[in-house]
Structure formats: C-alpha cells, structure tokens
Amino acid sequence: AGFGLLTFEMFILGLLKTPYTLFNITAPLVFLIFLFIYLSFKSGCKRAVFAVSDLNGVKLCLAIMICLWLAAKLGFVFYETLNRPIHSWDTWANWSVGAKLFYYNKGLLLDTASENFFGKGYRPFIGHPIHVSLLETWFALWLGNFHEIYVKAWSFFYFLGILGVFFYAFRRESGSVFYSFLGAFLLSTAPLLTFHGQDAYADLPLSYYVFTAAIFFWRFLGTDNKKFILLSGLFIASGMFVKNEGVFFFMAIGAALLLSMFLAKKVKAATLVYFLLPIIAVAGPWYVFKLINGLGFGHSGAQSGFSWLSDPKFKHDAPKGVHWEIFPLVLREIFFEANFSLLFPFWIVVTVMGFKEIIRSKIKYLYFIAVTVIAMFIFVYLTLEVTAVTETTGIQRNFLTFAPIIFFISACLAFRLWPRSK
C-alpha cells in the first residue's frame, strides 16, 4: 500500500508543480505514517499468531527444507535485482526513461508549450501510467543520483509481497502453516515470476496489487466487513496507476461484487460506495489528467490511441479483421513456452474435479474474476494487439498479472477437495 500511495502523492505534487525533493515528498508521508498507526490501534489490529501444530514429524522436516529453498530463492532474486542492470527494452523505454526525466527535471514536465510535455519524445507511450517511473524517481532521490541498477530495487519487494500475501491468505483459508509454506514454494517456482522479480517491468507490481485486491474481496465475501472491500478498492486503484490493464481488474472485481450481492439478494449502496471511493480518490486524478490532455490507452503513437482491427503498433500492413489465429498461440504460450511451471495445468485439473464445489461455494466469484479478465485480454488480442501475441512476449506478461489469483483459487479448491490433507 505504501508504494502505491507514495506514487499517487508524487503525481499530485507533480500536478501542483511542486519540485521533487526529498523534503517535499517525505513530509506528507510522515502524516500518512501516523494516520496508519492511529487506524491500526483504533481497529484493534493485532499481530497474527499462527498455530504450528501441523508442523511435526515428516511435515516439520519438509517445512524446513521448503523454507531453506524459499530463502535461497529470495536471496537469488534480491542479489540479481541489485546486480543486474535494466536490460529489457520495454522496462527501459516505457518506465525508466520517464523516471530519469522526472528525476533530473524535478517534476512531470507539464509545460504544454514544450515539445517534451510529460516526457513526449522520450517516453514512447505517454498515455501509460507512471507508478514505476515515479517509484524509480523516488529511489533516485534517496540515492542522490540515477543509478541504473539500484533504482529498480523495488522489484524484489513486489516478488516478496506476492509470496507473502499468498502465504497469509492461504494460511487463513486452510488453517495449515505447512501447506501455506508449500503453496508459497510452488508459486515461487514459476520461472517467469522469478524473472520479473529482477526485471523491474510493470507487470509484477500490477500482479501484486490486483492479487491483493482479490484477496481482500475474498475476505469481504467471508465476513461482509466493509473495510475489506474498501481495501480491495484501494489496491485496485493502485493497480490502475501501474498499467492500463488495471482497468480490466477493476471491471472484473466490480462485476463480481455486483454479482455476489445480486445472488445473495443484498444489494447495498454503502458497499458500492466503500468499493468505489478509494478508486475515485486514488485512480480518478490520473484518468482526469489523461482525459484533459488527450492521452489514450493503446500503442498507436505518443498519445496511445486505439486503432481497432489493425494492430498499428507492430504491423502497419496487418490485415484488418478479427485475428482468430491467436487461440492456438495462446494455448502454446501458457502450456509450453511462457514459463508458468505447472500452474495452468493444475488449475484446469482441480477445476474439472471440483466443478460442483465451485458452483455451490463463494469460490465461484474468484473464478468469475479470473475468467472475465482472461476474456478481456483475449478480446484485445482478437481485435487490437495480435502481433504482441504472435511476435513478442505480450501474452506472457499479461497472464502473469493474474497468475497468482489463479494459483490461489487452485490451492483453495484443492484443499477443499482433499480435506484429509490437513
């Protein structure tokens, strides 16, 4: 939450043309820190105490081995993050160039008379959200210079965050420390997740925010406590400031919320207000800014507009029409080439075996989110970005954004199908 609110604050300061200095950015953060401390005490928030009764005998030995492996994995990702320069073209061109511009100009370059307005001429798609760029600007301010490696130190923390959120969420769901460690271990084995933990591209932060948003939505379904749907909205808003695809998750989780209320015959306006309020407050200013300045969402030039059925960014001679040829390519990527380990085959197997459990339980709403987001991506591939699927790594990065949600669904369903595993 801190990284998301930090970059939101920096964006607002940029709109106010307040120079980016450590003091100007840190002063509001001090207020937020005390606000969070106050809210934590007021809510009676207590440190989680986990029973370890299931860690004995063989399970204890296996848990120790798993923890050692996880420590080695985290150490590797941390080391690579702080030793490997930014090397992916998209990472540099879409995010780090903007960070360097904002750092050296001490602001967002909002002079409309300038040919470099908002980084135009340097940032290929100025309609892209700027969470990552502002985060790297923040790190550079503390370093005192724009270090090509250290400004991406944040990448490791999103990798760690995804594993941590999964562990705590599944621990609450299963009541088992051992199987929570096992699940975090299996999630961390996905090579693509490890790579993005070092690469500093925007899909890993987006994956973290939407995964956490889905977890808080799941908590809301189980408790009907509005603070959880409020937190879900807050994390969705942060995701919408990371990448344009964050809008997909806002639509999917929002639709799942409406569906759950209609089926339960408990449509409450207050619940919708709690969900939408942080989205309007945190993501709203960014979208108003885009609207005022004519910034779009696509890949068809500096203003990122759409050009339906033509895929203008990658193939100027692409034939207009719906590109049905993407389906076998999508299947090939997720099952053979995209390095998700066995995540998607596992999801399919437990879905087939637990179909009745899905229908009669609230887990169907998590399925609704996942299937809706997948359908949105497929629609984009069919009508707008076919070459991103056929010639580059678009589908790998897109599917990474909801991969932790898929794995959490799979783990929860598997645990319900085999309760004796407790």
Side-chain angles (χ1 to χ4, degrees), residues 137-155:
T137 302
W138 168 251
F139 274 74
L141 285 170
W142 278 101
L143 290 167
N145 64 85
F146 196 91
H147 194 286
E148 303 291 345
I149 299 177
Y150 296 156
V151 294
K152 68 182 182 72
W154 52 266
S155 188

Side-chain angles (χ1 to χ4, degrees), residues 52-56 59 170-180 411-412 414-422:
V52 292
S53 58
D54 65 330
L55 292 183
N56 51 61
K59 283 186 177 180
F170 191 65
R171 165 65 180 81
R172 188 181 299 275
E173 179 70 18
S174 66
S176 169
V177 174
F178 174 75
Y179 286 106
S180 300
C412 289
F415 204 83
R416 293 184 181 197
L417 291 176
W418 301 292
R420 63 181 180 275
S421 299
K422 297 180 181 180

Side-chain angles (χ1 to χ4, degrees), residues 209-238 249-261 266 268-280 282 365-366 369:
Y209 285 120
V210 298
F211 176 47
T212 308
I215 294 299
F216 279 121
F217 170 69
W218 179 243
R219 291 288 309 279
F220 169 76
L221 291 177
T223 63
D224 203 33
N225 190 324
K226 292 183 180 63
K227 72 179 180 183
F228 293 122
I229 203 64
L230 178 75
L231 289 168
S232 181
L234 175 63
F235 279 89
I236 289 174
S238 295
F249 293 90
F250 161 59
M251 296 170 65
I253 295 179
L257 175 61
L258 287 172
L259 180 63
S260 68
M261 290 193 295
K266 295 181 180 179
K268 299 179 181 178
T271 300
L272 295 176
V273 170
Y274 272 77
F275 177 67
L276 293 174
L277 189 61
I279 295 174
I280 294 171
V282 175
Y365 299 116
L366 293 181
I369 293 170

